Amino acid sequence: MGETIGKTKLVRNIVAKTNNVSIETCEQVVDACINEIVDLLVRGDKLVLKNFMSFETIERAEREGKDLKTGETVVYPPVKSVKCRVSKAVRDAVNAK
């Protein structure tokens, strides 16, 4: 497996591949992108980045489960979650031999 890359390393990699962009400016752009994606999902909008990935908010229905310690039936309330789907282009690139 590859290494885990955080935001700092991502920003530095982007700066290294671009001309005349400071680390501070790049970090502001990355932060703005992340904040905008979160805002879109909070509003319930779907974001599609063609040939990369799509993000959407979904609502999971109420469901029953079991408490593993007591064996009692537990009702889990409905919750919102985020569904991310990778594009075929990304899947093909990752699986290229």
Side-chain angles (χ1 to χ4, degrees):
M1 286 264 120
E3 67 178 297
T4 300
I5 304 227
K7 186 175 81 169
T8 302
K9 178 76 172 172
L10 175 66
V11 167
R12 292 188 189 281
N13 288 349
I14 293 170
V15 168
K17 293 179 181 181
T18 56
N19 294 325
N20 300 322
V21 177
S22 69
I23 290 175
E24 294 78 19
T25 301
C26 187
E27 190 170 324
Q28 289 173 352
V29 171
V30 170
D31 287 340
C33 288
I34 291 169
N35 291 336
E36 184 61 23
I37 291 170
V38 171
D39 290 345
L40 289 168
L41 293 171
V42 167
R43 287 193 310 258
D45 296 337
K46 180 176 181 177
L47 173 64
V48 178
L49 301 172
K50 193 157 179 81
N51 293 323
F52 179 58
M53 182 176 263
S54 66
F55 303 86
E56 67 181 307
T57 304
I58 60 170
E59 188 158 329
R60 298 185 185 271
E62 181 178 277
R63 65 185 178 88
E64 288 186 0
K66 289 213 180 237
D67 184 326
L68 297 177
K69 291 182 181 179
T70 64
E72 292 179 23
T73 300
V74 178
V75 177
Y76 295 102
V79 294
K80 289 184 180 179
S81 186
V82 176
K83 179 179 174 183
C84 303
R85 184 168 179 169
V86 177
S87 72
K88 184 176 183 321
V90 172
R91 282 194 310 270
D92 289 347
V94 168
N95 290 307
K97 304 256 185 229

